[in-house]
Amino acid sequence: MNLDTIFVPALLVAFPLIAAICLNFLHGKDRVVKAVAIISVVVVLVLPWITDAAVYWFGGHPQVENVTGGTNIVLSKLNLAIVYKYAAIQKLFIAILAILASAAVLIHFTERVSGVYVAMIMLGVASTSAVIMADDIFNIFVFLEILTISQAALVIAIGSIQAYKTAIKYLIFGGIAGSSILLGIAILLNNYGLLNVSDLNRAITLDIEAGIPHALIVACALIFVGWLFESGMVPFHIIKSDVYSKARPSVAAFMQTQTKFVLVALWVVILRLFYGISTFNALVLGVGILSMVFGVMMALKQTEITRLLAYVAVAQAGLVGVGLGIGTRAAVTASIFHAVNDALAMAILFLSVSVVLHITHTVDMRKMGGLLWKTGYVPFLCLLGIFAVSGMPPFNTYQSEFRIITAASTAGYPELSVLIILTSIATLVALMKGFYTIYLKEGQDYLTDKELTPVSYSWGTEVFMVLLVAICLAIGLTPQNVFPYIEQFVQTLGVI
Amino acid sequence: MSLETLFQPMCFLTAAGLVVVGLYAVIFMDNLLKKIIGVTLISDGVNLVLITGGFNKIVAIISPEQAENGVTSVIYEGLKEYPEFAAQAAYPLPSALVLTSIVISVSIFAIMLAIAIKLYNHYNSMSCSVIFKEVDE
């Protein structure tokens, strides 16, 4: 039996989708849901590693150069199918996504597990994987909409009225952003009759030789608005941070990873289509700087721990945007590398907050304190996470931030290098303020009855935190294990 | 000017109208239900643009290089034998896309309505100024 024909890239999307449908129907049957959830998590974790790098066609046929044999049939050179591309970079993204999805499921495993909750996690895995792999712009739109639905549903899972309010705001904005992307796609389809990104790239390249058509600029603007929403950039940073802060922290860790990967994947698509529009990079750079600065400034003034982390996540997404906006090959490579690194580092902090909330039942930092000796290794791991997010050596984000700073200076933006360093310092200050109020400040009422005994919490959180810290350190110490694959990916784009 | 020539521009105008009305509802109306309807109107307008784009338009499914060399697709080559049909045939791809888009819109609409019911039960009001009053408190 040839395993290559079984473990195809399509399975990375199809399996979580099927698991989501099954789990949804099993809702209410706790034991069965747990069993199916465990199987789904294991398969989702294993699938990215056993799937070989390949290009997968849903129906249709691969591109053909010539047809011989006396036939007068003209076969198209276009990708007359939905194409999924699965290479090293996609493998890395989906594997990290799977780890954080399994954390979001397994950390709450001792509680009663909701089938719909696990289903939405699986839906999130499927939709993000599809956006990362798809080379078809309409397919990307469909899965972006599914992603919005799954994220809103994961916020609703909290069950509070505040969560419902956040979810409906997110869906209203998501509906408008989705329509914006679809209108951009409609304009492209109207002008070129194509949906495949590679084919559109070739068609647009020929078209813009005679000048950039107005329709192309309009399509670019519309899809760009959608990108801003999906990546939580200014002006959508408030709604995105609201979503992170209202969801369970373990789910927020998963969501911020989805956002960063979608940010990169969608930017790659936009770049391949609209690289001819000179202002595009300047726009990305502008919103990147604004998101980075607003994010970190808002983080500094927060009194809620979840909001603090949410704004730091937005600021870090802004930093990724800055690297992409600089637009040189070195900056883009460093930026994609930072998206991977920051997703891992931010997840450590969100997971540590998961333990804190389990004990304190409040997000208000003014009511917290005294948890340093109550939560095992969590404060130590949290501190390592803070260093990782702030870009300190020997962690992975140091490698990527250093590369972005170097690329900014080389590209002629030395002032941007200073801004990135200042942002890193401000991030460290904001996070250390949170660390102090949670762990070092004097104890609060919730600890008085059990002052001397450690407080119970899910040990699974600690396991995942250790794993993430180990991955951050491993990438930080040996970036050559990851970085060349990203370099190779950026080279193959052919437009930078 | 014949009705057929006017059909496509009129459809685009209608779509623009739907989008503008939808945006107005989302931005300026206080009632949550009207905002939700506004989102669906925007979505309907965009669907109309998508499907109108395919009206009476044969787009050659060939690569740009092939087109430059004067090659036409086998799919539409056959249509030359039926000029009347070819003149009136619509590009079928947008129809398939709109179908998918409608399903997604309905899903989002359903979830938004379900949340709106929850919020109404809690606040006994559909007014956004009531529901989102203490959101930043």
Side-chain angles (χ1 to χ4, degrees), chain B residues 59-135:
Chain B
V59 182
I61 309 291
I62 51 166
S63 70
E65 292 90 342
Q66 285 173 315
E68 275 197 338
N69 296 332
V71 175
T72 51
S73 165
V74 63
I75 301 169
Y76 296 105
E77 196 69 16
L79 285 180
K80 284 182 179 170
E81 293 172 29
Y82 309 96
E84 267 184 50
F85 175 74
Q88 292 175 22
Y91 186 38
L93 189 58
S95 311
L97 303 185
V98 162
L99 205 61
T100 315
S101 176
I102 288 169
V103 172
I104 294 165
S105 304
V106 168
S107 315
I108 293 181
F109 186 51
I111 298 171
M112 285 197 289
L113 283 182
I115 299 172
I117 291 167
K118 272 275 183 190
L119 292 172
Y120 180 76
N121 287 341
H122 189 268
Y123 289 100
N124 212 18
S125 170
M126 271 289 173
S127 167
C128 284
S129 51
V130 174
I131 293 172
F132 294 103
K133 196 170 70 177
E134 85 270 21
V135 80

Side-chain angles (χ1 to χ4, degrees), chain A residues 35-91:
Chain A
V36 178
I38 281 281
I39 295 166
S40 308
V41 163
V42 171
V43 175
V44 164
L45 279 170
V46 171
L47 264 182
W49 300 105
I50 56 175
T51 307
D52 281 333
V55 177
Y56 185 81
W57 285 268
F58 281 97
H61 61 80
Q63 286 186 38
V64 209
E65 285 303 322
N66 290 304
V67 179
T68 51
T71 172
N72 60 353
I73 291 176
V74 180
L75 277 180
S76 171
K77 279 186 182 178
L78 301 173
N79 295 292
L80 291 177
I82 295 172
V83 181
Y84 277 7
K85 288 180 178 170
Y86 185 67
I89 184 89
Q90 284 86 352
K91 182 178 275 198

